[in-house]
Amino acid sequence: MVLNNRFGAFIDPELEVPGLARGKLNGLSFAVKDVFAVSGHRSSAGNPHWLRSHAPSSAHAAAVWTLLQSGASLRGAAHTDELMYSLGGENYHYGTPVNPRAEGRIPGGSSSGSAVAVASGSVDFALGTDTGGSIRVPSAYCGVYGFRPTHGAVEIGGVIPLAPGFDTVGWIADSAGILLRVGEVLLGRVEGGAGETQNSSEKSNSLQQSVERDGARVGQYPECGRVIYGGDGPERNGESAGGHVQGYTGGHVQGHARGREPGHPGEPVMQHPLLKAAAVPASYACDVPEGSRMAKLYIGMDGWALAGTDSSASLKQGLDLLQAGVGQVLEAKVSPEGLTSWMDVFRELQAAEIWATHGAWIEREQPVFGPDIAARFAWAASVAGQDHSWAQSQRDDITSRLRHLLGEDGCLVIPTVPGPAPLRGGDLRQLELNRSGAMMLNCIAGLAGLPQVTLPVAGPGGLPLGLSVIGGRGQDLRLLSWVRRLWQ
């Protein structure tokens, strides 16, 4: 039966592939962002010239095949932004999917159709990709759950790339339970070489070993925070613990001036007051099994400063719930250099990879892009071939610091986006400003290759917001299981 496409989620609502075996996902249906190979299907990557210049796929993408083998049925190819290079969801060629939970507002991108397919109830879950926020942002705007895994944790074979050093296969669902079930399939067993398999525990250990190797190059993470509660002696009623976490002793980045994308804003004004931890009954935390519990929760204060006052007040309720499942809560400044600086590092490295990936096709085929996408590709071309060693060095340092901070059982909580989804058809400059705010928040996990889950929260006027939890490298299933037990 053809899907009802009244919300415009699907570029191909007739695409159907039944499950190939019985498994953990029996009876569930899923959509795929139109960048995943499905045998016999021609992917558009959100652009009609890409559609015309590429042949149909001869086999399923690895993630699609794994889901079909687990009993899920594929129903529909979902819209995406052009070549995945946007966070808005407004496609110049194919239009804008309707956000079912925020009337008149954009759905977010680039996995716009995937989020709308789930939010509208058309499918149980949907596959997407996330490079700079393309799962997390539309999930937040559409009021659903979204997950970006540890970079490299899910096989990406058969997926049209954007920037391979940042690209991940992620998924969206309308419940934390389904989000976890899909994760158990895509993360639970990973194909190894020579026909061998690697289970999630072995995989986590392997990833953790690489973390330890990376972390050996740098010192302690600059936490710059204070204990809220937990550990030895702090009060559990929301008052300060009276002791400071080890502060940042390294130097700040000075005088870095590089090319910026069109519409790039200046340094944000961070005036949001410090959040205070709410009183949390100690018995609540006992409901979370020890193996799935987070030992430390860091409140990323510079991330929270990007959210408006009304949005922060709504998100705070979700934060209170998460605090119930940890032993210690701390405030931390995530980026001593400033999140604008981190975003610049991300954008520069991402753009260089994007042009390396798609530049030859663009120069050969001369495709037509929407104005905003065309401007981004032009900027990517302008930075290609430059010396990116400074930015790569910054990324390496950021990665090591964050991985050291979170370890195996720590998590960082920040807003997913600064506020509700912008109105459709808005001013391009305003949309760029909103995009930059979202990228400042989403570049944190992107730079360090960390898993991040976004949780739906009702914001001002009932508009959807997203609250994000970033976990340690390779701790994907721990994070999903922990969230599942707390977020009912």
Side-chain angles (χ1 to χ4, degrees), residues 5 12 39 57 82 84 118 137 179 187 261 278 301 355 402 422:
N5 198 22
D12 186 355
S39 183
S57 300
E82 291 187 78
M84 302 76 73
V118 171
V137 171
L179 205 69
L187 296 159
E261 289 186 69
M301 300 309 296
W355 193 254
L402 283 173

Side-chain angles (χ1 to χ4, degrees), residues 257-281:
R258 291 176 177 256
R260 295 183 172 183
E261 289 186 69
H264 188 292
E267 189 78 28
V269 178
M270 299 185 177
Q271 298 177 333
H272 184 73
L274 292 180
L275 298 166
K276 303 294 181 181
V280 179

Side-chain angles (χ1 to χ4, degrees), residues 11 114 142 147 159 174 186 218 231 253 255 267 269 277 294 302 359 372:
I11 189 170
S114 297
C142 292
F147 185 67
V159 179
D174 205 16
L186 291 177
V218 297
V253 177
E267 189 78 28
V269 178
M294 293 293 180
D302 39 355
D372 56 333

Side-chain angles (χ1 to χ4, degrees), residues 218 221-222 248 336-337 342 397-405:
V218 297
Y221 180 83
Y248 177 55
E337 302 89 351
W342 282 23
D397 185 53
I398 290 165
T399 298
S400 295
R401 286 190 255 154
L402 283 173
R403 292 180 184 177
H404 182 88
L405 173 72

Side-chain angles (χ1 to χ4, degrees), residues 221-227 243-248 298 330-331:
Y221 180 83
E223 295 172 0
C224 300
R226 62 184 179 87
V227 176
H244 290 275
V245 180
Q246 178 180 348
Y248 177 55
Y298 296 91
L330 307 97
E331 290 177 350

Side-chain angles (χ1 to χ4, degrees), residues 90-326:
E90 295 182 285
N91 189 297
Y92 178 79
H93 304 281
Y94 297 126
T96 305
V98 175
N99 187 331
R101 300 181 181 180
E103 184 178 356
R105 295 177 181 265
I106 63 173
S110 62
S111 303
S112 55
S114 297
V116 170
V118 171
S120 65
S122 298
V123 293
D124 296 301
F125 67 96
L127 282 182
T129 59
D130 190 303
T131 303
S134 290
I135 284 279
R136 295 163 285 170
V137 171
S139 295
Y141 285 168
C142 292
V144 291
Y145 297 79
F147 185 67
R148 171 208 165 91
T150 295
H151 185 263
V154 178
E155 174 59 49
I156 203 165
V159 179
I160 299 169
L162 178 62
F166 299 96
D167 292 346
T168 61
V169 170
W171 54 98
I172 298 169
D174 205 16
S175 76
I178 292 181
L179 205 69
L180 173 60
R181 285 174 64 185
V182 175
E184 289 170 341
V185 169
L186 291 177
L187 296 159
R189 294 191 69 81
V190 180
E191 294 298 324
E196 298 177 351
T197 60
Q198 183 181 35
N199 63 33
S200 58
S201 175
E202 292 169 343
K203 183 172 187 183
S204 176
N205 290 338
S206 175
L207 287 168
Q208 185 59 31
Q209 289 170 4
S210 72
V211 172
E212 292 167 355
R213 289 194 298 269
D214 293 342
R217 299 197 303 266
V218 297
Q220 293 291 319
Y221 180 83
E223 295 172 0
C224 300
R226 62 184 179 87
V227 176
I228 302 297
Y229 70 75
D232 297 327
E235 300 294 329
R236 298 180 74 89
N237 64 356
E239 298 177 1
S240 170
H244 290 275
V245 180
Q246 178 180 348
Y248 177 55
T249 58
H252 288 257
V253 177
Q254 299 287 346
H256 175 54
R258 291 176 177 256
R260 295 183 172 183
E261 289 186 69
H264 188 292
E267 189 78 28
V269 178
M270 299 185 177
Q271 298 177 333
H272 184 73
L274 292 180
L275 298 166
K276 303 294 181 181
V280 179
S283 60
Y284 284 11
C286 298
D287 295 335
V288 182
E290 189 65 35
S292 300
R293 195 178 302 174
M294 293 293 180
K296 292 183 180 180
L297 182 152
Y298 296 91
I299 303 173
M301 300 309 296
D302 39 355
W304 283 85
L306 291 172
T309 302
D310 290 344
S311 295
S312 293
S314 300
L315 293 169
K316 177 64 166 56
Q317 299 177 43
L319 176 62
D320 292 344
L321 185 61
L322 294 175
Q323 289 178 162
V326 295

